[in-house]
Amino acid sequence: QVQLVESGGGLVQAGGSLRLSCAASGRFSSINAMDWYRQAPGNQRALVATINSGGSTNYADSVKGRFTISRDNAKNTVYLQMNSLKPEDTAVYFCYARVMIEAYEYQYWGQGTQVTVSS
């Protein structure tokens, strides 16, 4: 079983910064992509940023230039540095990973961490 544990959420004023972390644990061969999603009340879960095993990244247009995704492969951890936060960034942020267990790829979600940006 693989677990993803997020941390770093909280309450911040508009213009502030937060750094989210997501650590993967359990038995797996390797981690392919690790992504951050977010879900605001009444909205569907949406992709925020993704990073693959080679370090290539992609971002939602709404966060480009403000958020940075990175990963530490030695620690099986992905980070999301969020700068210049806006009230519309308020959401529950979820970590998502695709991991290899033997010859098969499995998908896992973290439990989510709340980010609230006040105006």
Side-chain angles (χ1 to χ4, degrees), residues 39-99:
Q39 186 169 18
N43 291 351
Q44 291 187 334
R45 194 171 295 188
L47 180 64
V48 175
T50 182
I51 185 167
N52 66 16
S53 57
S56 296
T57 59
N58 277 294
Y59 298 90
D61 288 342
S62 59
V63 306
K64 282 181 181 177
R66 300 188 298 122
F67 290 11
T68 302
I69 189 171
S70 60
R71 63 190 281 177
D72 184 334
N73 291 329
K75 295 182 179 180
N76 295 318
T77 299
V78 64
Y79 305 96
L80 186 68
Q81 178 66 44
M82 305 185 293
N83 299 329
S84 302
L85 282 161
K86 304 175 181 179
E88 51 263 43
D89 295 317
T90 296
V92 178
Y93 284 71
F94 295 90
C95 177
Y96 167 83
R98 290 187 281 117
V99 305

